[in-house]
Amino acid sequence: MDSPVSKTDASKEKFVASRPSTADSKTIRGCGLANLTWVGVDKVELRQRLMMPEYLRLAMRDCIKRKDSSAIPDHLLLPGGAVADMAPHAPMVVFINPNSGGRHGPVLKERLQQLMSEEQVFDLTEVKPHEFVRYGLGCLEKVAAEGDECAKECRARLRIMVAGGDGTVGWVLGCLGELNKEGKSHIPPVGVIPLGTGNDLSRSFGWGGSFPFAWRSAVKRTLHRASMGPVARLDSWKILVSMPSGEVVDPPYSLKPAEENELDQGLDAGIDAPPLAMAYEGVFYNYLSIGMDAQVAYGFHHLRNTKPYLAQGPISNKIIYSGFGCTQGWFCTPCVNDPGLRGLRNIMKIHIKKVNCSQWEEIAVPKNVRSIVALNLHSYGSGSHPWGNLKPDYLEKRGFVEAHCDDGLIEIFGFKQGWHASFVMAELISAKHIAQAAAVRFELRGGDWRDAFLQMDGEPWKQPMSTEYSTFVEIKKVPFQSLMINNE
């Protein structure tokens, strides 16, 4: 995959390891964007660095509005095209989710428009990421194809900032991923202004875990750093959920009906596979979890959707979330239930493929584990590192390697119950290590459990289970990697 910068700037840019050190991650975890020691950034110089020429901004705006990448008014095109020197050093667009960050969304949007231009700030309630990719970038490519060197350089140097939570960032990355499928070069790298609750993607690449109080000056510094930050790579993972036909499921936004049920044929599902199956597919960047933590998240999201006035910001969200953890048995299984039924080994089998291996192997589900997580990033659950910083001798003993978010491997671990999870998230102990794999298949079968609960990058859903046939959840690495701006 080509670098998203021009050849003249290629020597100045480099791809860097995207997993910060332990000391750095602790600094990042506790701070937001305001944790930047930086000299004053001149507003005029920043604007010149980021703002595209007016004729290109207006052309992109019109194409997106008309949903046609060729709908470029003739009066906006310069005769003979513009020269490359007219292109800014780091042309940038920002997507903002006004529903994130509590009351800050609308005022942050206004501030961003002041620092850049109105046409380069996109409200996600008005312009969707796929519309920008199809019509906005398509407009730039069309103008460049007609000999406009400025448009060509803007397209090659373009960077994107996302003001929102992990779900919003994943939405944008997924839309940009379509460019890889089309064989396009110069995929824009993405940076983050953290407005969500967990902000683990933001933390993993140095953009902090919260929206700072001194946000006006912090945003200006953030845009400056985003214009010059090095580019890192991020693995993404495709999930396929195959279930018996006739089951009623309400999948999250990130899961779509799959055209084909493409379970890996190297592992025969045998008689457990339903004769007729339906499938959903999606992509995640941070984690997939199955079990009690997903059940708590499902209850929280249901409450937030039905009573949105209760969830007004990150602090109130976390308080409500903790309350659900207590009431749904995460910390103490109700006495009326058999604790054995709470262990996932009663309903689950796990098969994995190790790196550079074509064969599937079954691994045991540890006893009393009530939640299993497949994790891609360094940061999980608002900045914790449950996999831990493992010693070399332990890695060698278990057949593991040091975990990175661009290594083509995903870490699988378990939580026993809420108390165990709490100590893990406080980094007093490590989670229950299960495996490190290049591909994973979870097989779920009902019985005393009618439903399982799953969540993917913070989006939970209730998964019905059959007592006759299995439901399969298969995870494989996406062939291409996403590009992220690393805030060193």
Side-chain angles (χ1 to χ4, degrees), residues 261-273 349-353 358-363 439-443 472-476:
N261 190 0
E262 300 175 342
L263 285 174
D264 192 308
Q265 298 302 311
L267 179 60
D268 185 12
I271 61 174
D272 294 324
K349 292 181 181 179
I350 303 178
H351 291 82
I352 67 168
K353 271 187 183 180
S358 60
Q359 299 297 318
W360 290 91
E361 74 173 86
E362 184 174 358
I363 57 174
V440 189
R441 182 187 288 183
F442 298 104
E443 180 180 348
F472 299 94
V473 180
E474 191 169 278
I475 302 172
K476 287 186 175 181

Side-chain angles (χ1 to χ4, degrees), residues 105-117:
V107 289
L108 177 60
K109 175 184 174 182
E110 182 180 351
R111 174 63 170 165
L112 289 166
Q113 290 174 337
Q114 292 171 355
L115 293 172
M116 301 167 62
S117 72

Side-chain angles (χ1 to χ4, degrees), residues 7-153:
K7 292 182 179 179
T8 57
D9 290 335
S11 62
K12 300 178 184 178
E13 302 283 348
K14 62 179 181 178
F15 290 102
V16 298
S18 52
R19 187 67 59 87
S21 67
T22 304
D24 291 339
S25 64
K26 289 181 179 178
T27 301
I28 291 168
R29 187 179 309 126
C31 304
L33 295 178
N35 185 45
L36 300 173
T37 56
W38 195 261
V39 296
V41 177
D42 184 79
K43 182 177 178 180
V44 175
E45 290 182 2
L46 179 64
R47 192 175 179 89
Q48 291 174 346
R49 190 180 185 88
L50 305 179
M51 190 170 66
M52 289 184 281
E54 184 180 27
Y55 78 99
L56 289 179
R57 303 197 314 267
L58 296 180
M60 293 173 65
R61 180 200 63 186
D62 287 355
C63 288
I64 294 172
K65 191 174 183 178
R66 299 177 184 180
K67 293 183 171 49
D68 183 355
S69 60
S70 62
I72 307 172
D74 292 337
H75 71 275
L76 292 180
L77 298 178
L78 300 183
V83 296
D85 289 345
M86 292 180 60
H89 175 79
M92 186 179 294
V93 300
V94 180
F95 291 102
I96 181 168
N97 184 349
N99 298 322
S100 298
R103 58 185 173 83
H104 294 298
V107 289
L108 177 60
K109 175 184 174 182
E110 182 180 351
R111 174 63 170 165
L112 289 166
Q113 290 174 337
Q114 292 171 355
L115 293 172
M116 301 167 62
S117 72
E118 183 177 344
E119 296 84 12
Q120 287 174 239
V121 180
F122 296 97
D123 186 326
L124 285 169
T125 62
E126 300 171 358
V127 177
K128 305 299 185 286
H130 70 271
E131 295 173 341
F132 169 79
V133 170
R134 182 176 302 175
Y135 308 117
L137 294 186
C139 169
L140 273 182
E141 292 167 357
K142 181 174 177 58
V143 176
E146 296 181 0
D148 191 304
E149 291 298 321
C150 179
K152 182 178 180 180
E153 287 301 308

Side-chain angles (χ1 to χ4, degrees), residues 174-443:
C175 294
L176 291 174
E178 295 299 316
L179 296 173
N180 287 286
K181 296 178 182 179
E182 297 170 5
K184 300 288 183 68
S185 59
H186 302 302
I187 311 300
V190 175
V192 187
I193 299 175
L195 299 185
T197 303
N199 299 312
D200 289 300
L201 266 169
S202 175
R203 296 171 192 268
S204 295
F205 293 94
W207 296 107
S210 62
F211 193 60
F213 292 106
W215 62 271
R216 288 185 175 274
S217 57
V219 168
K220 186 166 64 172
R221 293 194 298 269
T222 297
L223 294 179
H224 182 84
R225 297 192 67 137
S227 71
M228 56 191 300
V231 179
R233 296 185 183 272
L234 170 67
D235 289 335
S236 52
W237 297 84
K238 179 181 178 181
I239 174 177
L240 179 70
V241 182
S242 176
M243 69 193 79
S245 292
E247 298 288 357
V248 178
V249 61
D250 183 19
Y253 175 83
S254 53
L255 278 183
K256 307 296 183 185
E259 295 181 0
E260 297 182 13
N261 190 0
E262 300 175 342
L263 285 174
D264 192 308
Q265 298 302 311
L267 179 60
D268 185 12
I271 61 174
D272 294 324
L276 294 175
M278 58 186 295
Y280 291 86
E281 62 183 0
V283 174
F284 70 91
Y285 301 88
N286 190 352
Y287 69 92
L288 171 85
S289 72
I290 304 174
M292 183 60 71
D293 69 319
Q295 181 175 346
V296 173
Y298 181 83
F300 166 75
H301 278 255
H302 179 71
L303 176 69
R304 187 170 65 174
N305 291 336
T306 55
K307 300 179 180 179
Y309 55 87
L310 292 178
Q312 293 293 326
I315 296 178
S316 61
N317 286 351
K318 290 176 181 178
I319 293 174
I320 297 171
Y321 202 96
S322 300
F324 265 104
C326 295
T327 59
Q328 296 196 22
W330 185 211
F331 285 89
C332 181
T333 302
C335 298
V336 296
N337 290 336
D338 179 2
L341 298 180
R342 293 282 183 166
L344 287 176
R345 69 187 306 175
N346 294 284
I347 63 164
M348 178 187 290
K349 292 181 181 179
I350 303 178
H351 291 82
I352 67 168
K353 271 187 183 180
K354 294 184 177 179
V355 66
N356 299 324
C357 183
S358 60
Q359 299 297 318
W360 290 91
E361 74 173 86
E362 184 174 358
I363 57 174
V365 180
K367 184 180 180 181
N368 296 330
V369 165
R370 297 165 65 190
S371 174
I372 287 180
V373 181
L375 180 65
N376 182 43
L377 291 181
H378 175 85
S379 179
Y380 169 82
S382 300
S384 296
H385 185 21
W387 184 255
N389 295 296
L390 308 181
K391 296 180 179 180
D393 55 344
Y394 180 82
L395 292 172
E396 183 178 0
K397 178 182 177 181
R398 293 295 305 269
F400 297 158
V401 296
E402 186 177 353
H404 295 278
C405 62
D406 60 353
D407 58 7
L409 295 172
I410 196 163
E411 286 69 53
I412 306 168
F413 58 86
F415 295 127
K416 294 180 180 179
Q417 75 303 101
W419 297 112
H420 177 242
S422 297
F423 285 121
V424 171
M425 301 302 276
E427 300 189 10
L428 299 175
I429 58 175
S430 293
K432 183 71 176 179
H433 299 128
I434 298 176
Q436 195 174 46
V440 189
R441 182 187 288 183
F442 298 104
E443 180 180 348

